[in-house]
Amino acid sequence: MTVVLNQSFTGISIGAVLLLIALGLTLTFGQMGVINMAHGEFIMAGAYTTYVLQKSISSAGASLLVALPLAFLVAGAMGALLEWLLIRRLYTRPLDTLLVTWGVSLMLQQLARDVFGAPNVQTAAPDLLTGNISAGGVTFANNRLFILGLALLCVLGLTLVLRFTPLGRRIRAVVQNRDLAEVSGIATGQVDRITFFIGSGLAGVAGVALTLVGPIGPTMGTNYIVDAFLVVVVGGIGQLKGAVITAFALGVLQSVLEYSTTVSVAKVGVLVAIVAFLQWRPQGLYTLRTRSLA
Amino acid sequence: MTTTLTRLRVPGAFLLGAVLLLGVAPLALSDFRLSLFAKYLCYAIVAVGVSLAWGRGGLMVLGQGVFFGLGGYAMAMHLKLTDAAATGEKLPDFMQLYGTSDALPWWWEPFANPFFALAMTVLLPMVVAGVLGFFIFRRRVKGAYFAILSQALAAALSIWLIGQQATTGGTNGLTDIQGFFGYSLDDPVNQRMVYFIIAAVLLLLMALARQLFVSRYGELLVAVRDSEERVRFLGYDPANVKLVAYVVAAGMAGLAGALFVPAVGIISPALIGIVPSIGFVIGAAVGGRASLVGAVLGAIAVAWAQSTLSDAFPAAWTYLQGLLFVLAVGFLPGGLASLWFVLRRRRTRPTPVIRTEEPVAVTVGETA
């Protein structure tokens, strides 16, 4: 029983990381249909922001707290810049954005290598987040709990923004029907840019969280990006609840399979499960009902 | 007069290509350069398939590394077994090194047979693509979804291979391949032979792809790319049309992988994961995805630039590479092959627009 609980917690914490990364993607992929491969590099930007802050502020706790909003702004600004420079010119060719942003991601990785050096760097975690909590035979690592809390907080924040603010209403309108939103007087281009800002900013927050569980390196983003895209695909485009359920489900599935087999077999197993799932629901868990044929 | 010229243009170009590949290149290049060129030609073979599936069919095949790898591993497994047999060993060298078992794994056994191994280099990728494609296309999973799934497949295969160190060589892959069906690969003459085989296969597959392009099937494939729904309403099943393109492209990638092994002497997970898989597509994109010659030349050029410039200026090359992708894909969607038309457009008829996605239901207007 404790094994099951421990594995479930591991799965949930894998899911929390996936969720943090996939939240931003759900927004940008959902609203604009563009596949942003540079999303992984925004994660990296968030992680390096934490690193730089910790170099200048020696306190680990304070730097982490400052890093969260700062990484959001840094990554968000990068995302908005990318949207303005390239992506808005490619809305009619969503698949090509994948290759274009891949090129951007190559350049950003090299930039990180030139600025911070090729080897991975580490940040120190605040004391509060290094220990464990044991309850009922299950060990909860504090840093994992923090990431879980952060992920849920981000989901809550995003839900509130989308549901109750004028900006959220505009974003939802553009997701549901871009043409109608535009003739209703919504500046869709501007909404796109803000969505991209928020989505990329969330990647930055994910980057801060990842500094707690692993090293910071130029290629750290690529390790997560494919899994995060799978979450979006399975969850359904532009649906927060789909992403939340899928992220945790994939995390638990991954950790259970890892426990019973090996890491590599688990990866293959998850992929097979996803293909099987898409047989059942080709558009993902939750979909917007539209009358379009595509 | 003009009609005769037009009729002779394609065979003429093909002949020119054959003379360049089989005559000029082997004479002009040193042994070392020629074996590098053989490697680029392997990438070009993959690009032929990419041009079919992506350029004509609109399927963003981001997992060609999987099929390249399956073909490559099938070939390398056979060559490792014959290498071991030649030195009187029972097991390939890396298995003895990791010493997990003294019996050959059962799924290695049949690869000792050269005919089985050769057939598998093409059949294995085609079967995998066929099964996967059947399930994916049947449920109309397409566009970005398909791209992401095929990319995840590439990630999964390379991770799986790394995990199976004892039977697949793990991260190192299958290395240090000595012989090729009884011919020692150390001998430069045999290396030249391998080059000729690769060049001949490339020419053959280009001819095959060209025939597919101009056939009724080719027309149908382009129609599916441009408007899948209309094709469906006309009574065709787009899923089957796409499946054929995907499977043929996979077979070509498998063959390329099989030929890559004797040319380079190694196959490893690093050559088939996400990054090289995107690389296969990028070459075709830069050259011109819908144009067969463009895709092939693009793949050769990108591979050449990669290995030449990345040694000399590693950092600068990465920036240049990124910039090249951004500019070529973002602003010249037809690739460099379309430059000719773009430049000529002002004087003559307008170029057909190359669309990669189905027309989206909503068109995006610029308001900000």
Side-chain angles (χ1 to χ4, degrees), chain A residues 33-115:
Chain A
V34 298
I35 307 179
N36 177 19
M37 290 296 284
H39 194 78
E41 276 55 50
F42 298 152
I43 299 173
M44 175 192 81
Y48 274 116
T49 305
T50 323
Y51 172 70
V52 171
L53 266 178
Q54 201 166 79
K55 286 265 165 188
S56 37
I57 315 171
S58 49
S59 153
S63 68
L64 190 69
L65 280 183
V66 180
L68 282 172
L70 192 65
F72 183 84
L73 291 178
V74 169
M78 286 169 74
L81 188 68
L82 178 70
E83 202 273 348
W84 180 69
L85 275 177
L86 289 172
I87 292 177
R88 71 188 168 109
R89 298 167 209 277
L90 295 168
Y91 279 147
T92 46
R93 298 186 283 139
L95 278 182
D96 283 2
T97 53
L98 192 152
L99 292 179
V100 169
T101 50
W102 167 253
V104 173
S105 116
L106 278 182
M107 289 192 275
L108 288 177
Q109 281 178 23
Q110 187 58 40
L111 190 68
R113 243 175 249 128
D114 287 347
V115 175

Side-chain angles (χ1 to χ4, degrees), chain A residues 93 114 179 182 226 237 279, chain B residues 135 138-139 319 330 333 367:
Chain A
R93 298 186 283 139
D114 287 347
D179 282 347
E182 195 158 329
V226 174
I237 283 183
Q279 289 298 303
Chain B
F135 285 114
R138 195 181 60 132
R139 288 313 310 254
Y319 288 123
T367 47

Side-chain angles (χ1 to χ4, degrees), chain B residues 57-118:
Chain B
L59 301 168
M60 185 138 202
V61 281
L62 278 185
Q64 289 307 84
V66 171
F67 310 121
F68 186 83
L70 288 173
Y73 270 90
M75 176 64 94
M77 280 161 72
H78 173 66
L79 298 183
K80 285 308 276 185
L81 287 174
T82 47
D83 279 357
T87 52
E89 300 281 351
K90 209 170 56 171
L91 292 177
D93 47 7
F94 74 91
M95 283 193 195
Q96 298 168 25
L97 193 66
Y98 303 128
T100 40
S101 71
D102 40 20
L104 203 61
W106 60 267
W107 50 275
W108 270 73
E109 302 265 3
F111 284 93
N113 182 327
F115 299 106
F116 177 83
L118 273 182

Side-chain angles (χ1 to χ4, degrees), chain A residues 133-187:
Chain A
I133 299 173
S134 287
V138 188
T139 321
F140 300 101
N142 284 352
N143 54 359
R144 297 274 177 188
L145 281 176
F146 175 77
I147 293 176
L148 183 60
L150 188 64
L152 294 178
L153 206 66
C154 285
V155 173
L156 185 71
L158 199 55
T159 313
L160 291 179
V161 168
L162 285 182
R163 192 162 288 179
F164 297 113
T165 64
L167 171 68
R169 200 157 51 237
R170 285 202 295 273
I171 292 178
R172 281 183 290 136
V174 176
V175 171
Q176 283 171 12
N177 192 328
R178 182 175 287 270
D179 282 347
L180 203 52
E182 195 158 329
V183 294
S184 314
I186 294 174

Side-chain angles (χ1 to χ4, degrees), chain B residues 299-335:
Chain B
I300 295 176
V302 169
W304 170 80
Q306 173 109 33
S307 61
T308 312
L309 299 178
S310 66
D311 285 344
F313 327 94
W317 161 243
T318 314
Y319 288 123
L320 189 70
Q321 193 185 18
L323 203 63
L324 182 72
F325 297 168
V326 170
L327 293 180
V329 181
F331 299 100
L332 202 59

Side-chain angles (χ1 to χ4, degrees), chain B residues 31 176-180 183-191 262:
Chain B
D31 285 339
D176 197 24
I177 284 154
Q178 306 283 337
F180 181 60
Y183 296 95
S184 164
L185 287 173
D186 287 339
D187 192 339
V189 177
N190 292 339
Q191 274 293 348

